[in-house]
Amino acid sequence: MATRTLPPSQMPPVPNKEDIVATWAYLEKGITRVITDLEQGIDMQMYMGVYTAVHNFCTAQKAVGTTGPATHSHQRGAHLLGEELYNKLIDYLQRHLSHLVEQSKSHADEALLSFYIKEWGRYTTAAKYIHHLFRYLNRHWVKREIDEGKKYIYDVYTLHLVQWRKVLFEQVSEKVMDAVLKLVEKQRNGETIEHGRIKQVVDSFVSLGMDESDPTKSTTDVYRYHFERPFLNATKEFYQTESKQFVAENSVVEYMKKAETRLAEEEERVNMYLHPDIALTLKKTCNQALIADHAGLLREEFQILLDNDREEDMARMYSLLSRIPDGLEPLRTRFETHVRNAGLAAVKKVQSSEGDKLEPKVYVDALLEIHTQYQGLVKRAFNDEPEFTRSLDNACREFVNRNEVCKSGSNKSPELLAKYTDVLLRKSSTSIEEAELEKTLTQIMTVFKYIEDKDVFQKFYSRMLARRLVHSNSSSDDAETSMISKLKEACGFEYTNKLQRMFQDMQISKDLNKEFRDHLDKVDYSKPMDSTFSILGTGFWPLTPPSTNFNPPPEISTEIERFMKFYKHKHDGRKLTWLWHLCKGEIKAGYCKNSKTPYTFQVSIYQMAILLLFNEKDSYSYDDIVAATQLSGEVLDQAISVILKAKVLLMSGSSDKPGSGQTFRLNYDFKSKKIRVNLNLGGVKEAKQEEAETNKTIEEDRKLVLQSAIVRIMKARKKMKHTQLMSETINQIRSRFMPKVGDIKKCIEILLDKEYLERLDDDELGYLA
Amino acid sequence: MEYFKKLNVSLENAEFFVVQELVQAPSIGEINRKGYVNGWNSAGVGASHEEHAAHVHALIKDLSRDAALFKKVYRYAFITGREREQKSLSLENALAFWESLFSAPGMEWKTRSNDWIGLWKQFLSEKWTRSVNKDMWNMTLEFAVKSLQDETLSFWSEDGAWPSVIDDFVAWCRQRGIGHASESMEVDPVE
């Protein structure tokens, strides 16, 4: 510093160390220079001079004190004189600051801002210097005062800040803040501003946050009160006014765009020049003014957006409303209702156009379409939020289980779904590709997830699976396995256990047939026919023995006897029941005059029995056939009517329906375009009957399932309140079907009657071992 | 039957069932030694018919007031009324028993506004064809007691533990405007 080319300072020599007046006069000169004219710099001499003066003043008094009469008073003497210096400094600062306040009055708005920032900068820089110059005072007098617990004594730098706050800030801060807010408003209105200045003001306000009781701590109280509070108020007011006006003049969609922009701007504002502390509260204020105040309006619009598939706008609304507490719940409710109605409408549409002939595929596709559409919406517009997904699920569960089609019978949904699966898995001319099939099966599972009566699906599925397996017309083993593993994944081992056993039976039967063939080869015989047998475990297959008597033709019965012998030898003690109604075969007809290649008839075993009779004679009476086959009238009529329709046999007699008195004659002139003729056609009546039967078994099974669930629960709990038992039972059963309260009650009564349960006092039930 | 005459007990009303219960008769009019001896021993009265008769008539007097006694007698009626080897009471017997038990000197299931026993019998004759099991028998008394206390039937709720026959009866009554939910009370106050 000494090397600086400054004019030599006008500092007088260091004053007498004991003279406070002289000392202060000396110091004041130095301080004034630092505070008002630091740009010119201070030289070493001056710096040292001031520093020394402070040091001397403080130490001198100590010396005096020790030479004085009262030794113990020296502490106090130093104390007092340090204080004198400290107070002089305060006095000086107050004068300086009052002067600045006066000056500030000639400025306003931006000029005032500049003034404030300039003076603040100058003042704080000076404060740092003076802090150093008064280091001796800081280290000794101030430190001791603070140590002794004196309040409102600060180190010299802090003292500067305290004085600034007390003298200047109190009087000008409001005006400064006004200027700041005007500036911000300008920016909000699209003008460019020098936002660095606001940042400086913010910094200044934050620096003034000193905890008066503990100077080592700093608080943001001053900033909060003098900056944040008015800033937030102004923000609120600004956006309230703006949004009100904007909404009045523009559409809601436009408003949402505007709000979105505004919110982004405010976030940017924090980064640009505000204290990070304000981010949260500012956001809250903006959310309130821009979103919450208009939430009702936005929600009203939501339905319109839904109706018009305005995905982008819904996404915007979602992101806006997700910013306020409880903002989304009303949307979810509306969304759920909307999806449910959409689903119901879609079902109604296919129902009214297809009527009773509603194809399972059409129905399931209608359900899936709605699900896919709104799942996409949840994903794209609602951020895949779990709560929205739940609303979607609720809606889907509703329209899948309770819709127009289900009105005719609550089991309709699972039934149609199972039937569609059957269509997919059955061999047909329009089979789809493996990959496509897998995809469709996955979609089936999507609907399956919503089905409440999963037991109904299981029933129908297992019946149709049985049919596919017995008639070996599955389109693909892989697809069958894949479907079963999907069901297992969704409902557990128990659900698919029987289905898997059915597959096993088919595999075992395959091996068994091979063994049987090998066995026949060994015993060497000429075989009149090729036969295949399927051994199906009674408990696993949803099949019932035929309702009619049947006397198989000799060709068949000898083969069957051979097989029975073979099988008995292998598994002694097993009982075989023949499911004639599921047996089928092919016979070749060599008698026809019109064709060189013999026709092949695909027939049921009943039809086979009828046709084989004509190997002996060309004509039989109805009663002859009944006697030979032992078939019941209903079954016989059904079997023979297809044969008659194809004109393989011709009927003569008084009636046009098969029955007693009619005669049947072999038609030598039989003609067909195809070489293979399928006569094994089940009637529509049969299918309907099976459907009804399946539905009936469901009701019976449910009762058993309910009772066993109740017994299980009561066995574990011994005693239970009636209502508790109800809800527990529903809980356990829900994954299979939705039990009705009345049904549970009836089951409880059955169990009471069977004395598995007893009534105790107070609506309680007890378990009787 | 002679015995009942000696005690001067009517065979036509609830009095009969009091004696049945007292001597633990296994079936109608059949008294065995064990039940007789035990019954009178625990009653603690002398051995003469006159003393027996006095005791029985004291009980009969209390029957309509003493709920516990009535319940005991009522429940025993089911046991005594079953056909051998049967678990339930035939509807015919049950109706007759109800008729006698639910009228004086038994507990009258009848108020100034509603003839409950009449309604119950009418309901069963319209809607019920099966026999009456123990649960239904016992719960009918519970229901009768409650219905006398609260003729609006507001104690009943769908989720309650009542047997479904009672549920159906309540629905049946409400269809006829009997036992409304409490807000629409049309029933005369009962002394």
Side-chain angles (χ1 to χ4, degrees):
Chain A
M1 255 188 210
T3 56
R4 278 202 188 171
T5 54
L6 295 169
S9 70
Q10 300 303 304
M11 293 297 282
V14 176
N16 183 345
K17 56 189 174 183
E18 285 168 40
D19 182 354
I20 175 71
V21 180
T23 303
W24 179 254
Y26 179 83
L27 288 176
E28 190 174 316
K29 233 184 185 124
I31 292 168
T32 309
R33 175 76 180 267
V34 170
I35 279 195
T36 57
D37 214 8
L38 195 65
E39 291 87 347
Q40 287 196 34
I42 45 168
D43 57 21
M44 190 56 133
Q45 190 201 345
M46 183 178 171
Y47 188 88
M48 288 305 292
V50 172
Y51 187 90
T52 315
V54 172
H55 174 261
N56 285 354
F57 181 78
C58 293
T59 49
Q61 289 308 312
K62 220 181 264 177
V64 170
T66 43
T67 53
T71 328
H72 66 270
S73 72
H74 89 268
Q75 286 269 359
R76 188 170 159 70
H79 187 105
L80 277 170
L81 276 156
E83 187 174 354
E84 209 158 347
L85 202 54
Y86 187 81
N87 286 339
K88 285 270 183 208
L89 183 59
I90 292 177
D91 207 36
Y92 176 81
L93 290 175
Q94 281 176 349
R95 262 182 290 127
H96 171 71
L97 291 168
S98 304
H99 182 62
L100 287 183
V101 171
E102 281 308 309
Q103 274 184 316
S104 78
K105 285 179 181 160
S106 60
H107 302 289
D109 297 344
E110 286 186 56
L112 178 69
L113 266 190
S114 308
F115 174 79
Y116 180 87
I117 292 162
K118 193 182 89 205
E119 288 305 329
W120 166 258
R122 195 208 291 264
Y123 182 80
T124 44
T125 318
K128 272 176 223 151
Y129 278 93
I130 297 167
H131 184 71
H132 283 292
L133 290 172
F134 277 68
R135 186 174 292 161
Y136 199 83
L137 186 73
N138 271 338
R139 276 204 201 142
H140 295 279
W141 186 80
V142 172
K143 185 174 182 294
R144 198 161 48 236
E145 290 290 302
I146 292 173
D147 286 348
E148 280 176 15
K150 274 264 177 90
K151 293 271 160 80
Y152 309 116
I153 300 291
Y154 312 97
D155 67 54
V156 172
Y157 181 74
T158 313
L159 179 69
H160 278 74
L161 297 183
V162 170
Q163 290 306 319
W164 175 277
R165 186 168 82 195
K166 211 155 116 189
V167 181
L168 184 133
F169 186 79
E170 302 255 295
Q171 295 200 43
V172 273
S173 79
E174 218 165 291
K175 278 191 229 153
V176 169
M177 209 44 220
D178 281 348
V180 166
L181 294 177
K182 266 186 197 159
L183 210 55
V184 172
E185 188 168 334
K186 265 189 186 170
Q187 196 191 26
R188 281 179 176 147
N189 285 329
E191 288 179 45
T192 318
I193 59 157
E194 240 182 276
H195 52 68
R197 283 204 251 170
I198 300 180
K199 178 137 190 64
Q200 281 169 305
V201 173
V202 171
D203 289 344
S204 153
F205 279 36
V206 171
S207 306
L208 291 174
M210 295 140 303
D211 192 333
E212 304 225 349
S213 53
D214 183 0
T216 56
K217 283 188 206 148
S218 69
T219 72
T220 49
D221 288 353
V222 173
Y223 159 77
R224 284 245 163 98
Y225 186 79
H226 292 279
F227 188 95
E228 195 173 297
R229 190 183 51 92
F231 188 89
L232 293 177
N233 281 340
T235 305
K236 188 169 124 193
E237 220 164 282
F238 179 82
Y239 284 128
Q240 275 175 345
T241 321
E242 192 199 49
S243 61
K244 212 179 207 168
Q245 200 182 346
F246 195 91
V247 160
E249 292 165 4
N250 293 279
S251 70
V252 174
V253 170
E254 284 306 313
Y255 174 71
M256 290 198 297
K257 286 182 191 156
K258 173 94 182 167
E260 207 171 41
T261 321
R262 280 307 197 188
L263 291 167
E265 269 175 29
E266 291 304 323
E267 235 158 87
E268 186 51 30
R269 186 156 289 130
V270 175
N271 291 335
M272 238 166 11
Y273 56 78
L274 296 177
H275 192 258
D277 206 49
I278 205 175
L280 211 68
T281 42
L282 179 62
K283 205 171 174 177
K284 241 186 188 159
T285 308
C286 295
N287 286 346
Q288 180 64 36
L290 285 167
I291 309 169
D293 287 355
H294 303 283
L297 193 73
L298 294 185
R299 284 169 196 148
E300 284 309 309
E301 187 75 5
F302 185 62
Q303 189 61 51
I304 299 167
L305 299 180
L306 268 176
D307 291 342
N308 296 301
D309 293 328
R310 299 277 291 269
E311 209 167 281
E312 207 181 301
D313 293 324
M314 282 189 266
R316 193 165 285 127
M317 184 175 292
Y318 169 85
S319 86
L320 287 178
L321 288 175
S322 67
R323 298 171 69 114
I324 60 171
D326 305 321
L328 291 171
E329 198 46 47
L331 288 201
R332 292 192 197 104
T333 320
R334 269 171 201 248
F335 174 70
E336 191 176 319
T337 316
H338 181 79
V339 175
R340 192 178 64 226
N341 290 339
L344 292 175
V347 171
K348 201 165 188 170
K349 202 172 134 201
V350 295
Q351 158 87 342
S352 62
S353 65
E354 307 271 323
D356 280 347
K357 290 201 185 88
L358 180 59
E359 286 284 327
K361 178 177 162 46
V362 174
Y363 176 69
V364 175
D365 281 350
L367 298 179
L368 273 171
E369 198 190 314
I370 299 296
H371 177 262
T372 313
Q373 182 188 344
Y374 289 103
Q375 191 184 38
L377 184 66
V378 170
K379 196 169 260 160
R380 290 185 298 267
F382 305 141
N383 201 22
D384 226 351
E385 198 221 34
E387 288 295 307
F388 267 97
T389 305
R390 213 173 59 177
S391 299
L392 173 72
D393 287 345
N394 287 344
C396 289
R397 198 169 306 116
E398 274 305 305
F399 77 69
V400 164
N401 290 292
R402 282 166 282 281
N403 58 39
E404 200 67 24
V405 169
C406 295
K407 263 188 190 160
S408 60
S410 63
N411 295 339
K412 220 59 194 163
S413 259
E415 183 186 324
L416 286 168
L417 187 66
K419 279 185 175 163
Y420 181 37
T421 321
D422 184 51
V423 171
L424 289 169
L425 293 173
R426 206 168 50 205
K427 217 184 274 171
S428 75
S429 51
T430 54
S431 288
I432 48 175
E433 266 178 67
E434 193 90 352
E436 187 66 21
L437 178 60
E438 181 61 28
K439 214 181 102 196
T440 318
L441 291 181
T442 311
Q443 289 180 328
I444 296 243
M445 291 310 293
T446 305
V447 179
F448 177 79
K449 201 176 73 186
Y450 295 120
I451 294 278
E452 277 169 6
D453 296 337
K454 293 199 163 54
D455 60 335
V456 177
F457 180 88
Q458 186 191 31
K459 273 271 148 52
F460 279 97
Y461 189 86
S462 74
R463 274 185 184 245
M464 287 182 275
L465 173 64
R467 219 164 41 203
R468 290 199 295 277
L469 291 177
V470 170
H471 296 318
S472 51
N473 62 356
S474 265
S475 67
S476 130
D477 273 359
D478 286 348
E480 292 281 5
T481 322
S482 152
M483 186 63 199
I484 289 191
S485 69
K486 282 188 177 64
L487 291 172
K488 190 170 169 180
E489 198 182 317
C491 290
F493 168 77
E494 209 189 336
Y495 193 78
T496 52
N497 186 19
K498 286 184 180 179
L499 306 179
Q500 276 173 319
R501 290 299 294 259
M502 282 154 66
F503 272 103
Q504 279 174 17
D505 279 356
M506 288 318 283
Q507 193 55 49
I508 294 167
S509 296
K510 216 187 231 170
D511 298 342
L512 194 71
N513 277 304
K514 201 169 163 294
E515 276 179 60
F516 180 52
R517 206 134 318 275
D518 291 348
H519 162 77
L520 290 184
D521 285 347
K522 262 183 246 151
V523 298
D524 180 40
Y525 89 116
S526 60
K527 47 183 182 174
M529 61 184 293
D530 280 324
S531 58
T532 321
F533 299 89
S534 302
I535 306 297
L536 317 175
T538 316
F540 311 118
W541 292 72
L543 302 170
T544 42
S547 53
T548 169
N549 282 333
F550 180 56
N551 182 28
E555 291 88 340
I556 304 280
S557 54
T558 42
E559 180 76 357
I560 281 176
E561 258 158 49
R562 245 181 249 130
F563 180 78
M564 295 257 264
K565 226 189 249 165
F566 162 77
Y567 191 76
K568 224 177 186 109
H569 181 68
K570 225 174 134 52
H571 304 285
D572 196 20
R574 287 200 192 166
K575 189 174 168 255
L576 289 176
T577 310
W578 296 98
L579 303 174
W580 299 117
H581 55 303
L582 295 174
C583 298
K584 59 176 184 176
E586 293 184 349
I587 47 179
K588 274 186 183 171
Y591 59 85
C592 294
K593 294 173 187 162
N594 290 318
S595 174
K596 278 169 216 158
T597 34
Y599 288 111
T600 303
F601 297 133
Q602 296 172 296
V603 290
S604 71
I605 201 156
Y606 299 149
Q607 292 169 323
M608 188 184 278
I610 298 165
L611 289 176
L612 285 176
L613 291 174
F614 291 87
N615 274 339
E616 308 295 324
K617 256 174 34 176
D618 283 353
S619 160
Y620 284 92
S621 75
Y622 184 84
D623 296 326
D624 287 343
I625 296 177
V626 170
T629 60
Q630 297 287 310
L631 286 171
S632 70
E634 197 188 331
V635 175
L636 175 61
D637 294 355
Q638 209 272 322
I640 211 164
S641 66
V642 186
I643 302 177
L644 290 171
K645 207 173 164 202
K647 298 204 164 64
V648 177
L649 294 180
L650 300 172
M651 179 170 70
S652 54
S654 52
S655 160
D656 56 351
K657 283 205 173 118
S660 198
Q662 304 289 84
T663 317
F664 301 91
R665 179 165 52 78
L666 193 62
N667 179 13
Y668 282 96
D669 297 320
F670 176 77
K671 248 195 286 187
S672 164
K673 279 178 200 150
K674 286 191 242 164
I675 292 295
R676 293 165 71 85
V677 183
N678 187 9
L679 301 175
N680 187 12
L681 302 168
V684 183
K685 214 173 85 190
E686 271 185 337
K688 275 257 147 64
Q689 206 176 344
E690 193 182 296
E691 213 176 281
E693 212 174 280
T694 309
N695 277 319
K696 211 177 95 196
T697 53
I698 287 164
E699 286 309 311
E700 280 157 16
D701 283 4
R702 279 186 176 181
K703 259 187 214 153
L704 294 179
V705 169
L706 275 177
Q707 285 178 32
S708 62
I710 295 168
V711 169
R712 232 184 1 255
I713 294 165
M714 290 303 293
K715 193 171 177 181
R717 302 285 199 88
K718 302 293 179 231
K719 254 192 200 176
M720 217 173 178
K721 284 260 190 217
H722 186 270
T723 42
Q724 256 181 315
L725 177 60
M726 281 283 188
S727 56
E728 184 68 33
T729 309
I730 292 173
N731 256 344
Q732 289 208 1
I733 299 296
R734 201 164 38 191
S735 64
R736 296 174 68 110
F737 62 92
M738 250 326 198
K740 291 193 204 78
V741 172
D743 289 345
I744 302 177
K745 239 174 156 172
K746 289 216 170 85
C747 287
I748 292 177
E749 281 165 36
I750 292 170
L751 292 170
L752 279 168
D753 206 30
K754 286 187 183 161
E755 295 186 341
Y756 281 102
L757 303 181
E758 62 174 340
R759 250 184 229 279
L760 305 171
D761 289 341
D762 214 11
D763 278 2
E764 257 193 335
L765 292 163
Y767 176 74
L768 296 168
Chain B
M1 291 298 153
E2 286 299 308
Y3 179 63
F4 289 90
K5 270 189 198 141
K6 279 188 204 155
L7 293 180
N8 192 20
V9 162
S10 160
L11 298 177
E12 303 300 320
N13 61 25
E15 297 178 6
F16 171 73
F17 292 105
V18 174
V19 181
Q20 287 273 319
E21 195 277 327
L22 185 77
V23 299
Q24 297 287 301
S27 72
I28 302 287
E30 181 191 338
I31 296 169
N32 60 26
R33 189 178 179 81
K34 191 176 156 219
Y36 181 89
V37 173
N38 289 345
W40 285 116
N41 265 345
S42 57
V45 287
S48 73
H49 285 322
E50 290 71 28
E51 279 169 294
H52 285 183
H55 181 69
V56 166
H57 283 282
L59 288 178
I60 289 167
K61 239 179 91 191
D62 282 342
L63 194 57
S64 60
R65 280 173 285 169
D66 184 345
L69 172 69
F70 184 74
K71 188 168 172 175
K72 208 162 67 170
V73 171
Y74 176 92
R75 290 200 164 194
Y76 196 77
F78 180 81
I79 295 164
T80 195
R82 288 179 303 188
E83 298 291 325
R84 271 180 212 288
E85 315 287 318
Q86 288 285 312
K87 264 169 122 188
S88 51
L89 204 57
S90 72
L91 182 59
E92 192 191 340
N93 278 350
L95 286 171
F97 286 11
W98 274 319
E99 174 83 68
S100 42
L101 284 161
F102 284 139
S103 53
M107 181 188 94
E108 277 187 278
W109 192 17
K110 192 188 228 175
T111 63
R112 276 170 59 186
S113 35
N114 290 311
D115 175 14
W116 288 107
I117 178 64
L119 290 168
W120 177 240
K121 282 169 68 183
Q122 189 194 341
F123 163 74
L124 291 177
S125 67
E126 280 175 27
K127 307 270 176 187
W128 194 258
T129 49
R130 285 182 279 153
S131 59
V132 174
N133 65 26
K134 189 171 156 196
D135 188 52
M136 180 173 164
W137 178 259
N138 290 345
M139 293 308 283
T140 302
L141 174 62
E142 301 295 318
F143 182 79
V145 170
K146 286 237 162 96
S147 66
L148 287 175
Q149 286 159 8
D150 174 7
E151 292 208 69
T152 64
L153 305 185
S154 65
F155 59 87
W156 178 87
S157 99
E158 202 174 351
D159 305 325
W162 297 106
S164 41
V165 61
I166 299 277
D167 292 346
D168 293 344
F169 178 59
V170 173
W172 185 87
C173 287
R174 292 204 166 150
Q175 261 178 23
R176 279 159 182 70
I178 300 158
H180 274 292
S182 46
E183 64 262 47
S184 58
M185 253 173 61
E186 297 169 351
V187 196
D188 294 335
V190 185
E191 284 100 335

